[in-house]
Amino acid sequence: MAHIPDFPPEFGEDKGKFFEHYDKIQDELDEEMVKRLKENLDGILVFAGLFAGVNSAFLANTLNLVQPNPLDDISSLLQQLVQGLQSFSLPSITFTPSLRALVINGLFGLSLSSALFASFFAVLGKQWLMFYRNRDGGGVDQQRWEQLRRSLGAERWGLVPVLEVVLPMFIQTALVIFTLGFVLYLRTMSEALSNFVLVPLVVTVFLSFLTVGFSLWDYSCPFRTPLSEIVFRVPSLASVIGRVIRQAKLQLFRILKKLRKRMKRLQERKRDPRASSNEDGSTGDSTGEGGEVVKSGVYCLYDEEKGNPAIGVEVRSVQASPVPQDAGHHRSGRERWRSVMHAVMRKRRRAMMNPESGFWRLIRLGREVEEEEVLHVVAIMRVIRISEDPKALYHAALNLRSITDPKLLALVCDDELTTRGLRECYSEALEDLDKKHTSAKSPESLLRKTLGFGTAFFHVAISAESFDDFIDILGMKSAFLPLITSEMSPEAAQIAGDICRRAQTFVRGFMNLQLRQIGGAQPGALTTTTLAANALWFAINGIPHSQDIVFGDRFRGALAYSEISWAGLGLLASVSNLICRFHDARKRKPYGLLELEWCRFAFLRVREAYYLSKPTPELADAIRDSFNSRRNLESNAILFKFTWRLFTREDDGDKKLIELAEHALSAGQHLICAIEGSIRFSKDGKKYATAREMCFKAMMENMGPRGGEMKALKGVAWRQRLMLTTATDYMRYIMGLEGRVNEEQNAYAKGVMEQIRGAQIQSLRTLLAMGKEYADAKREFEETFSKFSLYDVAESVISGDR
């Protein structure tokens, strides 16, 4: 349908639309950053070169202050010749430079060193940028993710702050140091002249610190300098240093733990050298070359990383023979050391070929490379945070819905800019839709865009860790939702109630949006997220509606023909079993202990079902409880249909899966019997006829093959046995309705039973291959069917006699 977003099944499978926008944005960011940094480095190099020339000239002049003057020695010698003195000393021998001269030259030398240091790292920075933009070989995807890893590395290691903040700080520091030296140098000539130069220096330093204060007071102040940036980054720098220290401690602890385990294993082997044995319990001894006794056996190797037993491997251990060895076989210490080093190098080469080996993990202390799934999330987050193109934002939202790992979605939840950007996109699209919406029809493009943003936003919001975080993502501060609700004041309880009701309204708005012009099959991503929104709203709205009323006829009609996953199945079962614990029909009740705790519990339950990726015993129990409740008949009929479909679609002979399916679907007869009773005895019973037909059709469509190989027939025996059991209980329920003959409904029931009977296996050989349980179920079905086929006649005679 034109108004339904085209959600990609996996990230990037949208015909390259997202990558088209992402590559453009990333290239623009990289080009702008590289261009800006290169211009900054070029300016540093030019200024540092000119400044080093000026500084060198002064330094060459002031170096004479710290070394003796040769003219003084010549003058002293001439004086001694004239006076005819026998003993004398040269001024160069007794020369000692003054403290002021040393300080002046030290300041000039330090200033020159700072300038040269900045120039050196400016050249290094240009090399870093050249490597950053260098494209390695490989395909487009490999280059894209490699460039993103470099971009993340540049952010993580602070490439931009180093080149834009630190290097200019060296130049500015060199200028201040040079000016101090210049003032001291002038003081050797004229104190008044030095004071005249000192005043502008003090004023300049004072103004620079004043601008730092302005920027700290007002973050938007334009007087930002490298010093102010450093001051701003002190807290983050401290956290980075702390994180690095913690990671180093953790790595060291892991290495020591592995070494301790290996040393313990070696000590155990030394204490019990005959720990290995053959499968028959005996050990095979043989004499090797040189007179060693070779012990052979089967050891059970263990995976050191996971602790799981691996395959049995024959290991041959060499023990010292009691027979004295001759001197020819004695190995010197150097040879033993050489053999050990050769063994270590061989292991290291093997580890280099296999990076997942435990040895490589032991010696590798570096940081792990980002997985490609993490890069997918980072790419989406960058587009949402930076781009202003509606198409780029739309395709980023669609691809975000394809991310289903809660750990990856936690990265999005923790990023306030991304969640706020998604919320703003959804709110703006919803506002535009409401402005252009007419009673007849909504613009398809706007509806498609709003559904895409809304589905992605709620997909992220539902992945929050708690109900309080969910409220924060919706843009409603949870400051009035205390953890200890028993200590809530009446005012706080009233505010908490208002916040929760606003969240209900927000969720209800998304539900109403999905119900606009709904019809036909819906994609699985949209269906699952809408089911989650329905489940959450139904749980926390404070109005005890039934599930059938919450879903409505239009949504159920679309849901019956839509795609659904295990998560959708879990949400259907969860909603059916959730019962609102409080009543807030007037929407004025304060939220106290029970209400707020129930909202938190219901959110966690919906979140758990939303991320269900495979069948679990809890899911089977929830489905069984839904069928046994005999409530929400129309919605549970859809649950019955999808339970049959999913369990039979995933059936590949897995015994655990079959046990879960039988446990969940064995209660299906209670649902079908409840629907039959509603059809016969309710005033509006005819509306349940579609639900009854859906249940029988689901069993017929998923009963499996009736011929072919024996192995395939044995695999589907449980399906046909379950269908026969359900049909048998259904016929017994109808026959148990004494004195209430409904010829029209009985005729329908007989027709369905005849279809089920005709679909069963008739061949005796195949029947025996299906197993005894299937044969017993078929026999009971046939006996019950023979009685059920005469049910109308017998009941009519009884009614006439009466």
Side-chain angles (χ1 to χ4, degrees):
M1 300 178 67
H3 69 281
I4 299 298
D6 188 13
F7 294 99
E10 297 292 339
F11 174 81
E13 296 183 2
D14 56 352
K15 300 179 182 179
K17 296 178 181 178
F18 171 74
F19 288 142
E20 178 183 355
H21 297 284
Y22 167 75
D23 291 340
K24 182 179 178 181
I25 293 172
Q26 187 63 40
D27 289 341
E28 290 178 355
L29 289 176
D30 290 340
E31 289 294 338
E32 190 272 335
M33 182 192 73
V34 171
K35 181 180 179 181
R36 185 180 74 252
L37 292 179
K38 280 186 176 180
E39 292 178 353
N40 184 48
L41 294 177
D42 290 339
I44 290 176
L45 286 173
V46 172
F47 183 84
L50 296 175
F51 177 73
V54 175
N55 200 340
S56 300
F58 276 90
L59 184 61
N61 190 27
T62 57
L63 284 176
N64 297 326
L65 299 177
V66 295
Q67 59 186 352
N69 191 353
L71 297 178
D72 294 339
D73 290 344
I74 296 174
S75 300
S76 178
L77 289 173
L78 291 176
Q79 185 178 3
Q80 297 299 329
L81 290 174
V82 171
Q83 296 178 357
L85 297 176
Q86 297 296 328
S87 61
F88 60 90
S89 63
L90 295 176
S92 60
I93 299 176
T94 59
F95 175 79
T96 300
S98 63
L99 179 61
R100 177 174 294 181
L102 292 175
V103 171
I104 291 172
N105 283 275
L107 291 176
F108 283 155
L110 183 60
S111 175
L112 180 60
S113 300
S114 300
L116 294 178
F117 181 83
S119 302
F120 173 73
F121 274 94
V123 175
L124 278 183
K126 295 179 76 68
Q127 294 177 350
W128 295 339
L129 295 178
M130 181 179 64
F131 169 77
Y132 179 82
R133 292 299 293 165
N134 185 27
R135 296 282 185 176
D136 294 334
V140 177
D141 291 340
Q142 181 178 351
Q143 292 183 4
R144 177 186 297 117
W145 303 130
E146 181 62 27
Q147 187 64 25
L148 181 55
R149 287 191 181 96
R150 293 178 182 179
S151 179
L152 292 175
E155 293 179 1
R156 186 167 52 250
W157 289 96
L159 177 64
V160 174
V162 167
L163 299 182
E164 282 191 342
V165 178
V166 177
L167 291 186
M169 274 296 298
F170 276 106
I171 296 294
Q172 294 179 4
T173 305
L175 279 172
V176 174
I177 294 173
F178 173 78
T179 309
L180 288 175
F182 182 60
V183 170
L184 292 178
Y185 177 67
L186 291 178
R187 190 171 289 273
T188 60
M189 302 178 183
S190 173
E191 185 174 353
L193 184 60
S194 64
N195 292 334
F196 182 76
V197 177
L198 180 62
V199 172
L201 173 63
V202 174
V203 172
T204 302
V205 173
F206 174 76
L207 291 177
S208 63
F209 280 102
L210 191 61
T211 56
V212 173
F214 290 158
S215 59
L216 291 175
W217 178 263
D218 184 4
Y219 187 79
S220 302
C221 177
F223 307 138
R224 301 178 71 90
T225 61
L227 182 59
S228 62
E229 293 295 327
I230 291 177
V231 174
F232 274 122
R233 295 178 185 272
V234 166
S236 61
L237 182 61
S239 63
V240 169
I241 294 174
R243 186 166 61 250
V244 171
I245 294 175
R246 288 193 298 270
Q247 290 292 334
K249 289 182 179 178
L250 183 61
Q251 284 284 9
L252 182 61
F253 175 75
R254 289 175 179 173
I255 293 173
L256 293 177
K257 187 177 180 181
K258 291 180 181 179
L259 289 176
R260 193 180 300 112
K261 287 183 178 179
R262 295 187 179 184
M263 292 298 295
K264 185 177 180 181
R265 193 176 296 113
L266 289 175
Q267 291 176 0
E268 291 176 354
R269 290 178 182 176
K270 288 181 180 180
R271 294 196 202 100
D272 189 9
R274 293 180 294 178
S276 61
S277 61
N278 292 325
E279 293 179 355
D280 58 356
S282 63
T283 59
D285 299 350
S286 61
T287 303
E289 298 180 0
E292 301 92 354
V293 177
V294 180
K295 307 286 291 183
S296 64
V298 178
Y299 285 81
C300 183
L301 298 184
Y302 287 83
D303 187 350
E304 297 177 358
E305 295 296 330
K306 301 180 181 178
N308 299 327
I311 59 175
V313 181
E314 184 178 358
V315 180
R316 296 171 63 86
S317 59
V318 181
Q319 292 182 343
S321 173
V323 181
Q325 302 179 12
D326 55 341
H329 291 83
H330 180 71
R331 301 171 65 184
S332 64
R334 181 178 297 179
E335 291 178 350
R336 288 197 300 269
W337 175 253
R338 188 178 300 169
S339 64
V340 170
M341 291 303 299
H342 282 310
V344 172
M345 293 303 296
R346 283 196 302 270
K347 288 185 178 182
R348 190 176 189 279
R349 283 195 295 268
R350 293 172 186 172
M352 292 292 290
M353 299 300 295
N354 182 18
E356 298 301 323
S357 63
F359 179 78
W360 179 249
R361 287 199 186 100
L362 177 62
I363 65 174
R364 183 174 57 194
L365 302 179
R367 183 182 179 277
E368 294 289 341
V369 179
E370 293 87 353
E371 297 180 356
E372 193 165 317
E373 291 78 8
V374 177
L375 297 179
H376 295 169
V377 178
V378 173
I380 294 174
M381 292 169 58
R382 287 198 169 190
V383 173
I384 295 176
R385 286 184 298 181
I386 297 172
S387 179
E388 297 181 357
D389 185 2
K391 292 184 178 180
L393 295 171
Y394 174 71
H395 291 295
L398 296 186
N399 280 272
L400 180 59
R401 179 57 186 84
S402 66
I403 307 296
T404 56
D405 189 349
K407 295 181 180 179
L408 298 177
L409 289 172
L411 301 176
V412 184
C413 291
D414 295 340
D415 189 76
E416 184 180 358
L417 293 177
T418 304
T419 55
R420 185 173 60 189
L422 266 178
R423 184 174 65 248
E424 291 175 355
C425 290
Y426 171 57
S427 301
E428 292 175 1
L430 188 61
E431 184 179 354
D432 293 341
L433 182 65
D434 291 336
K435 290 180 179 179
K436 298 182 180 180
H437 174 70
T438 60
S439 58
K441 186 177 181 181
S442 299
E444 291 182 350
S445 60
L446 277 178
L447 184 57
R448 180 172 60 251
K449 182 176 70 171
T450 310
L451 279 175
F453 285 128
T455 304
F457 176 64
F458 275 96
H459 178 63
V460 173
I462 294 173
S463 65
E465 291 293 333
S466 63
F467 181 71
D468 299 48
D469 295 335
F470 174 77
I471 295 295
D472 288 336
I473 293 176
L474 295 186
M476 307 167 191
K477 294 183 180 180
S478 60
F480 297 98
L481 300 181
L483 296 177
I484 305 177
T485 51
S486 59
E487 299 180 357
M488 293 176 63
S489 62
E491 295 78 9
Q494 186 65 48
I495 295 175
D498 295 339
I499 292 175
C500 292
R501 278 186 286 271
R502 287 172 58 195
Q504 298 162 14
T505 304
F506 206 91
V507 176
R508 186 62 183 175
F510 174 72
M511 293 167 53
N512 293 335
L513 171 68
Q514 205 275 343
L515 292 174
R516 289 186 183 183
Q517 300 183 356
I518 194 172
Q522 308 292 317
L526 182 60
T527 302
T528 305
T529 307
T530 307
L531 280 173
N534 276 274
L536 184 60
W537 181 84
F538 174 70
I540 67 175
N541 66 352
I543 304 174
H545 284 320
S546 66
Q547 181 183 359
D548 287 342
I549 296 177
V550 172
F551 284 162
D553 295 335
R554 295 177 64 190
F555 181 70
R556 281 198 309 274
L559 180 63
Y561 300 99
S562 301
E563 301 175 7
I564 201 169
S565 60
W566 291 112
L569 197 67
L571 289 167
L572 278 173
S574 298
V575 174
S576 179
N577 295 320
L578 279 176
I579 301 176
C580 189
R581 300 292 180 86
F582 60 96
H583 304 290
D584 189 21
R586 297 182 179 180
K587 297 185 178 182
R588 296 178 181 177
K589 184 177 180 180
Y591 274 43
L593 174 64
L594 295 178
E595 292 80 6
L596 195 53
E597 288 300 328
W598 168 252
C599 291
R600 287 167 172 164
F601 166 76
F603 173 81
L604 293 178
R605 188 167 178 177
V606 171
R607 182 183 184 274
E608 181 182 1
Y610 187 71
Y611 288 109
L612 192 66
S613 59
K614 61 181 180 180
T616 60
E618 292 77 13
L619 174 62
D621 291 338
I623 295 173
R624 186 179 181 86
D625 293 341
S626 298
F627 295 158
N628 289 330
S629 65
R630 300 176 182 269
R631 295 181 288 106
N632 306 316
L633 300 181
E634 293 179 277
S635 301
N636 279 332
I638 300 176
L639 177 64
F640 184 85
K641 171 185 177 179
F642 286 119
T643 302
W644 267 92
R645 178 182 296 179
L646 287 180
F647 275 103
T648 55
R649 185 180 64 187
E650 301 288 338
D651 178 20
D652 56 352
D654 188 357
K655 293 183 179 180
K656 292 184 179 180
L657 181 67
I658 294 175
E659 291 177 359
L660 293 176
E662 291 182 338
H663 179 70
L665 292 170
S666 59
Q669 65 266 20
H670 300 302
L671 172 64
I672 296 178
C673 293
I675 294 175
E676 185 69 27
S678 298
I679 293 174
R680 291 172 180 263
F681 307 130
S682 298
K683 295 181 180 180
D684 53 349
K686 292 184 179 180
K687 71 176 184 178
Y688 296 106
T690 304
R692 180 183 61 182
E693 183 179 357
M694 183 185 302
C695 293
F696 285 116
K697 189 176 181 181
M699 291 190 296
M700 295 289 292
E701 290 179 349
N702 299 283
M703 64 182 295
R706 290 177 292 174
E709 298 181 359
M710 293 297 176
K711 184 178 180 181
L713 292 175
K714 290 180 180 179
V716 299
W718 70 273
R719 308 184 195 178
Q720 301 192 15
R721 182 180 70 250
L722 195 59
M723 183 173 63
L724 290 175
T725 304
T726 304
T728 302
D729 292 340
Y730 174 71
M731 290 186 291
R732 289 173 179 173
Y733 170 77
I734 294 178
M735 290 188 294
L737 302 174
E738 298 180 358
R740 298 183 180 182
V741 178
N742 190 323
E743 296 182 358
E744 180 183 356
Q745 301 302 329
N746 287 350
Y748 172 82
K750 286 183 180 180
V752 174
M753 295 302 106
E754 289 177 355
Q755 292 180 10
I756 293 177
R757 183 170 181 267
Q760 297 306 307
I761 297 172
Q762 305 298 333
S763 172
L764 179 61
R765 177 173 174 271
T766 307
L767 183 64
L768 294 175
M770 298 285 284
K772 183 178 180 302
E773 294 181 355
Y774 172 77
D776 294 341
K778 189 173 187 300
R779 186 182 66 254
E780 291 184 8
F781 174 80
E782 292 292 345
E783 293 175 357
T784 308
F785 181 78
S786 61
K787 298 177 183 179
F788 185 67
S789 60
L790 303 175
Y791 171 66
D792 278 347
V793 177
E795 290 294 330
S796 299
V797 172
I798 294 174
S799 301
D801 293 341
R802 290 179 180 175

